[in-house]
Amino acid sequence: MEFNSKIETEKIISFIKNYYKEHNLKGIVIGISGGKDSAVASALFTKALGKENVIGITMPCHSKEKDKSDAEIISKHFGFKLYNFDLTNTYDTFKENFKDLNESKTKNSDINLKPRLRMATLYYFAALLTEIKKAPYLVAGTGNKCEIYVGYFTKGGDGMSDINVLSNYTVSEVIKIGEHLNVPKKVLYKTPSDGLSKQTDEEKLGVTYKEIEDYLNGHKITQNSKQIIEKLHKKNKHKKGIVNIERI
């Protein structure tokens, strides 16, 4: 069945409205990375809750200045407030404790520390706004179905959230929803990257998002790509907290 972006967009917006009404919630805090996923998520929440109840946070940390400017494009386009919270000094202070270790040993830990600091920041702001406004603010997740399936997220970092309305949508579907919402093309079609390393998402994964999407939809892909996807999915199950002992 062909994907209907209008119907799916309306379904998501309706879900957000009903969920917030049912649980007496107020607003949402979103980390705005300058990429398509956070842009589409912020657009959906703005439509559902009103721009006054959406708070965007940029959190540079030895990252690209362009990502911050792209985040500003999104906040201005949809009209929600955007705050900048620079985590560079926080990160550097943390790293001081490990300055005697070789960089080759800390590389992976360093990359994952950044999204963990970012998530702590988002939850701090959500708790702060909840107290100030005397009504609950949630933290939005922005991971899509392809990323979640292969475990391309940081445990305790961008893998955490209170509500993620994109988790059941593949990359191409997120883009189609973004097109329907008139997300600025510069951001919507931007090459996916975590903005924290010098590689694109697909370079780091070893497969393309299209291949992951084709795999999830039961379409034929190369044997090599299939093996990579299945290996990533199995290896990263612990990130979802589903590694356990079967009962006898």
Side-chain angles (χ1 to χ4, degrees):
M1 185 181 296
E2 186 177 349
F3 185 79
N4 189 314
S5 58
K6 182 177 185 294
I7 290 175
E8 293 301 323
T9 299
E10 291 173 351
K11 184 193 299 184
I12 297 169
I13 292 171
S14 178
F15 168 79
I16 295 170
K17 286 180 177 179
N18 291 335
Y19 187 81
Y20 267 68
K21 183 178 180 180
E22 179 183 355
H23 299 286
N24 297 310
L25 303 171
K26 176 68 174 177
I28 194 80
V29 176
I30 309 179
I32 309 296
S33 67
K36 69 180 180 308
D37 292 326
S38 62
V40 173
S42 62
L44 288 164
F45 279 103
T46 300
K47 294 288 185 183
L49 305 177
K51 61 185 180 181
E52 67 279 6
N53 295 313
V54 176
I55 300 297
I57 311 286
T58 56
M59 295 163 283
C61 185
H62 294 293
S63 45
K64 300 174 183 176
E65 185 65 29
K66 185 176 181 296
D67 289 340
K68 183 182 172 185
S69 61
D70 286 345
E72 290 170 351
I73 289 172
I74 297 303
S75 67
K76 288 176 182 176
H77 185 78
F78 291 106
F80 60 86
K81 287 185 179 179
L82 184 70
Y83 296 95
N84 183 59
F85 195 86
D86 197 313
L87 293 171
T88 303
N89 289 338
T90 305
Y91 173 86
D92 289 345
T93 300
F94 189 99
K95 281 289 293 173
E96 272 294 307
N97 293 284
F98 302 93
K99 61 184 177 183
D100 294 332
L101 290 177
N102 189 289
E103 190 177 338
S104 63
K105 290 185 173 64
T106 65
K107 181 179 179 182
N108 187 58
S109 299
D110 293 347
I111 291 172
N112 285 294
L113 173 60
K114 295 173 183 178
R116 285 171 178 148
L117 291 174
R118 287 175 169 177
M119 190 52 64
T121 303
L122 294 177
Y123 272 100
Y124 182 91
F125 271 96
L128 183 62
L129 286 165
T130 296
E131 180 63 29
I132 292 171
K133 302 288 186 178
K134 303 300 178 185
Y137 272 70
L138 301 184
V139 172
T142 60
N144 60 63
K145 186 176 182 179
C146 295
E147 292 172 332
I148 293 170
Y149 187 80
V150 296
Y152 186 62
F153 56 86
T154 295
K155 182 166 61 174
D158 55 329
M160 290 181 65
S161 67
D162 298 317
I163 180 172
N164 184 350
V165 296
L166 300 182
S167 60
N168 289 324
Y169 296 94
T170 63
V171 170
S172 72
E173 291 170 344
V174 171
I175 290 173
K176 287 175 183 175
I177 292 170
E179 289 171 341
H180 181 73
L181 290 165
N182 194 31
V183 171
K185 294 179 180 179
K186 180 183 178 183
V187 175
L188 188 62
Y189 303 133
K190 187 178 178 181
T191 300
S193 168
D194 61 12
L196 301 172
S197 63
K198 295 180 180 180
Q199 291 179 297
T200 66
D201 288 356
E202 295 179 337
E203 286 173 343
K204 292 178 75 174
L205 287 167
V207 290
T208 65
Y209 280 123
K210 184 180 186 306
E211 288 173 311
I212 298 172
E213 187 165 337
D214 285 343
Y215 175 87
L216 291 173
N217 290 330
H219 300 153
K220 188 175 181 179
I221 60 174
T222 67
Q223 185 63 25
N224 181 59
S225 294
K226 180 181 178 182
Q227 289 176 346
I228 292 173
I229 292 167
E230 291 177 347
K231 182 179 179 180
L232 287 169
H233 176 69
K234 186 176 182 180
K235 181 182 77 171
N236 290 322
K237 276 188 174 182
H238 68 92
K239 292 186 176 183
K240 305 172 189 176
I242 55 177
V243 176
N244 51 40
I245 301 172
E246 292 185 9
R247 292 185 61 176
I248 298 174

